[in-house]
């Protein structure tokens, strides 16, 4: 399954697989969203898998939100790879 991004105002849902093949689409979508909104919520509940490029893209998104003073919330359990990455980051 490819990545599908749906949105309603500033709430975005990710569904499918976030990987090297579609990370540019992901980054483009949120670059535009950062120009429109100062508060974003992203649900990762529908992600089945995320490779290291996808995890890096989400991490970069988080860093950009801090840099641009945009409130970013990532909600949902999502997939194990994403959860493991952020738990390891939290522990460090």
């Amino acid at each position: 399954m490819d990545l599908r991004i749906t949105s309603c105002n500033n709430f975005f849902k990710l569904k499918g697989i976030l990987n090297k093949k579609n990370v540019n689409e992901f980054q483009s979508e949120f670059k535009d969203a950062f120009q429109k909104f100062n508060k974003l919520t992203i649900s990762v509940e529908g992600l089945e898998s995320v490779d290291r490029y996808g995890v890096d893209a989400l991490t970069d998104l988080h860093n950009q939100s801090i840099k641009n003073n945009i409130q970013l919330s990532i909600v949902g359990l999502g997939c194990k790879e994403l959860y493991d990455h952020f738990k390891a980051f939290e522990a460090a």
Side-chain angles (χ1 to χ4, degrees):
M1 172 184 260
D2 286 334
L3 177 67
R4 286 194 299 152
I5 303 171
T6 57
S7 66
C8 180
N9 295 323
N10 63 342
F11 185 83
F12 294 80
K13 287 184 180 182
L14 304 180
K15 185 171 184 176
I17 299 170
L18 178 57
N19 59 22
K20 183 178 180 179
K21 190 171 76 172
N22 56 30
V23 77
N24 288 332
E25 174 189 341
F26 172 85
Q27 291 171 328
S28 177
E29 178 78 28
F30 287 101
K31 181 179 178 183
D32 293 342
F34 273 16
Q35 293 174 358
K36 294 179 186 176
F37 306 107
N38 61 0
K39 182 178 180 180
L40 295 175
T41 302
I42 301 172
S43 172
V44 295
E45 193 73 32
L47 284 180
E48 297 171 10
S49 176
V50 180
D51 69 1
R52 68 182 177 104
Y53 296 98
V55 171
D56 288 345
L58 281 163
T59 303
D60 289 344
L61 190 66
H62 170 72
N63 293 336
Q64 288 175 7
S65 72
I66 293 169
K67 180 181 171 184
N68 296 327
N69 199 28
I70 295 172
Q71 186 178 359
L72 176 66
S73 300
I74 300 175
V75 299
L77 292 178
C79 63
K80 183 178 178 350
E81 296 92 349
L82 189 58
Y83 177 78
D84 288 346
H85 172 76
F86 284 107
K87 280 303 266 186
F89 181 75
E90 183 180 291

